[in-house]
Amino acid sequence: MVVTLPFVMLLLDYWPLRRFEPVNISAGQALLTRLICEKIPFFLLAVVASALTFFFQHQDAATASLRDFPISARISNALVAYACYLEETFWPIDLANPYPLTWHWPWGEVLAAGVLVIGLSVLAILMGRKWPCGLVGWLWFLGTMLPVIGLVQVGVQSMADRYTYIPLLGVFWIIVWGADDFTARWRLRGRVVTFATLLILGICAMRTRAQLDYWRDGESLFRHAITLTKNNFVAFDGLGRALYNKGQTDEAVSYYLKSLEIRPRYREALNHLADALARLDIINANTNNRHGLARLIGTDYANAHNTLGLGLALNGNLNDAISHFRKALLYEPDNVNVRCNLAYALVLQGRLNEATWQCRQVLQRSPLYPIANNILGLALLKQGRWNEAAAHLREALQYEPDFADAHYNLGQALAALGQRDEAIAHFKEALQLNPNEPGAREKLNQLENSAR
């Protein structure tokens, strides 16, 4: 909203500063030119800030394309949102977080909202000369809301109450100066205004207190949103995440699935479902979890496949884990973390040549990547290629000195090469970094006993 600053500064020049009061048309043009020129630095900053914001939001895939959310839907959503914001300002009863994005508003609601917004705009323009605060207040509301009204859609919300903090200043100016003009000739004006102010503040305090009950934690917030809104896939996902964080994983899975029933390719719910299934024992999964697993297998999101692969690997199901790692690489072939996970699973299966090839693919893209060097070192170690293994393990430790697993593997390679003292030093370092490493303790004892 700050990118609208130069425009709202021009509004303030009109009222209340009243800097734009020319005596004739020629003087008016010169004055307007001067007022615009003095704000050129702010216009330039607004352009740069807008471009950077759009670029980074687009890079993070946060902005919706016209194919996913067409211009007609954006205009409809913007009109309805303007009307809803005004309604909630004067009747703040059914406030929710979040309000899900709606692709198809009923035409009746869109038409009513359009008539309201256009009608108030025409009224503000007609009364602008006699009542400038009304024109400025209304244009302030429309203009500062414009960057977040959904014409450039960011995220999956149709509107958000937090977006009104700055725009509603314009509405409140209209109310305050309008009340001042309306009560100017009242005899008991001071008492009436005082009573009305206290009444309004009291009602706002009561509504705030009631609203705070829904903000105790994520679970209460999203349950409230689900009761107030329809098809709120974001709230179902948020409720699932809140339950997941409380350890209620089975119930969390059911809410992730409800989110996906509404929007089957919602990325956040897919990834959260993958996390939940990775926590559960997938081998002995119940019906709900198998249903969730079936949904995940059909998705094209690399992170979901990678997370699910890790969960399967932890449960010893290496074949299925490798299958998911391969699917993840189909969508993100340059994802070095996924390729390393695949390589390690292949090492555990004894498929050392293939694991070596996967690691070398990673190192071609990221030559200094410690995890890839460690896994490659382990694969070479299991093949008896100790010198090559030691070289890659040293490379891993050069860029990550506290890599306990690399110290342990290097200790094994050095012990096989007969470099006992250096091997002992690396086993000790591995134990210091990870005291629960039984292999390092056993190897260290063997070397120390052989030295005696």
Side-chain angles (χ1 to χ4, degrees):
M1 293 178 188
V2 180
V3 300
T4 63
L5 177 62
F7 301 98
V8 299
M9 291 173 73
L10 287 171
L11 288 177
L12 296 177
D13 283 335
Y14 180 73
W15 182 90
L17 299 180
R18 299 183 185 280
R19 297 177 67 193
F20 187 45
E21 293 184 349
V23 294
N24 54 52
I25 295 177
S26 178
Q29 292 176 344
L31 180 59
L32 180 61
T33 301
R34 181 172 65 82
L35 292 177
I36 293 175
C37 287
E38 71 180 16
K39 297 170 181 64
I40 287 177
F42 296 100
F43 280 109
L44 292 176
L45 287 173
V47 170
V48 172
S50 299
L52 289 174
T53 301
F54 181 80
F55 173 77
F56 287 111
Q57 293 280 17
H58 186 70
Q59 288 289 101
D60 292 339
T63 55
S65 67
L66 289 174
R67 182 186 63 185
D68 296 332
F69 195 49
I71 190 66
S72 59
R74 296 173 190 236
I75 294 174
S76 299
N77 185 77
L79 291 172
V80 173
Y82 272 124
C84 288
Y85 284 133
L86 290 174
E87 178 188 1
E88 291 179 352
T89 300
F90 297 102
W91 192 252
I93 301 299
D94 294 333
L95 305 181
N97 180 42
Y99 302 97
L101 191 60
T102 300
W103 278 260
H104 303 288
W105 284 101
W107 280 109
E109 292 186 31
V110 176
L111 181 61
V115 170
L116 175 67
V117 172
I118 294 172
L120 289 176
S121 299
V122 171
L123 181 63
I125 293 171
L126 293 176
M127 298 182 63
R129 186 174 295 275
K130 293 183 178 179
W131 195 38
C133 80
L135 175 62
V136 170
W138 180 246
L139 292 179
W140 178 290
F141 172 71
L142 290 181
T144 55
M145 185 70 77
L146 196 61
V148 292
I149 202 63
L151 296 178
V152 177
Q153 181 60 39
V154 178
V156 291
Q157 73 285 334
S158 63
M159 51 186 285
D161 295 333
R162 64 184 180 276
Y163 291 160
T164 63
Y165 296 160
I166 293 175
L168 283 181
L169 289 174
V171 176
F172 296 150
W173 292 344
I174 297 174
I175 295 172
V176 171
W177 265 266
D180 179 69
D181 293 341
F182 184 71
T183 61
R185 297 182 181 181
W186 288 15
R187 292 176 56 188
L188 301 177
R189 177 188 185 191
R191 294 181 182 181
V192 172
V193 169
T194 300
F195 175 77
T197 301
L198 292 175
L199 178 63
I200 292 171
L201 290 176
I203 293 172
C204 288
M206 292 171 59
R207 291 302 309 141
T208 300
R209 177 64 187 85
Q211 196 69 17
L212 287 175
D213 287 338
Y214 305 123
W215 286 82
R216 291 192 308 271
D217 52 34
E219 181 179 355
S220 60
L221 176 65
F222 292 119
R223 286 192 188 279
H224 178 63
I226 289 169
T227 61
L228 293 179
T229 57
K230 295 180 180 179
N231 298 324
N232 198 331
F233 59 94
V234 183
F236 278 116
D237 174 60
L239 178 56
R241 197 63 178 168
L243 295 170
Y244 175 86
N245 291 333
K246 291 182 177 181
Q248 300 169 234
T249 310
D250 282 307
E251 191 175 357
V253 167
S254 68
Y255 283 107
Y256 294 145
L257 294 174
K258 288 181 180 179
S259 176
L260 292 169
E261 286 175 6
I262 300 168
R263 192 173 183 185
R265 302 183 72 78
Y266 180 39
R267 182 166 188 159
E268 295 298 319
L270 286 167
N271 290 336
H272 293 158
L273 177 59
D275 288 335
L277 292 174
R279 176 185 283 185
L280 295 169
D281 183 358
I282 297 175
I283 297 175
N284 299 313
N286 59 33
T287 303
N288 286 336
N289 291 339
R290 284 200 297 274
H291 183 43
L293 180 59
R295 282 183 173 275
L296 272 177
I297 290 173
T299 177
D300 61 352
Y301 293 107
N303 186 48
H305 283 292
N306 182 52
T307 306
L308 186 52
L310 289 171
L312 289 162
L314 289 173
N315 283 298
N317 194 341
L318 292 176
N319 285 328
D320 288 342
I322 288 171
S323 174
H324 281 286
F325 292 142
R326 292 192 192 281
K327 287 179 181 178
L329 289 174
L330 288 176
Y331 304 110
E332 292 185 15
D334 294 331
N335 191 318
V336 293
N337 289 325
V338 176
R339 201 169 288 276
C340 284
N341 291 337
L342 173 59
Y344 190 66
L346 292 169
V347 169
L348 294 179
Q349 276 203 331
R351 298 157 67 176
L352 303 177
N353 289 332
E354 190 176 355
T356 299
W357 185 86
Q358 294 291 348
C359 290
R360 294 195 189 281
Q361 291 296 304
V362 173
L363 293 173
Q364 284 181 4
R365 298 177 175 86
S366 305
L368 308 179
Y369 197 54
I371 296 175
N373 274 303
N374 177 58
I375 297 172
L376 179 55
L378 177 61
L380 294 169
L381 180 66
K382 290 181 175 293
Q383 292 175 331
R385 299 158 64 178
W386 299 314
N387 282 310
E388 292 179 70
H392 283 285
L393 293 165
R394 290 186 193 278
E395 192 79 15
L397 290 170
Q398 181 179 351
Y399 295 98
E400 192 171 335
D402 294 335
F403 199 162
D405 200 37
H407 279 290
Y408 172 61
N409 291 331
L410 180 55
Q412 293 189 86
L414 293 171
L417 290 169
Q419 302 176 30
R420 188 185 64 231
D421 292 340
E422 192 176 356
I424 288 174
H426 282 287
F427 285 136
K428 287 182 177 179
E429 186 68 22
L431 283 171
Q432 185 174 351
L433 294 168
N434 182 14
N436 297 321
E437 174 54 66
R441 175 74 62 189
E442 181 182 351
K443 296 288 186 181
L444 179 61
N445 290 337
Q446 290 176 359
L447 288 176
E448 289 179 339
N449 290 336
S450 66
R452 297 191 189 98

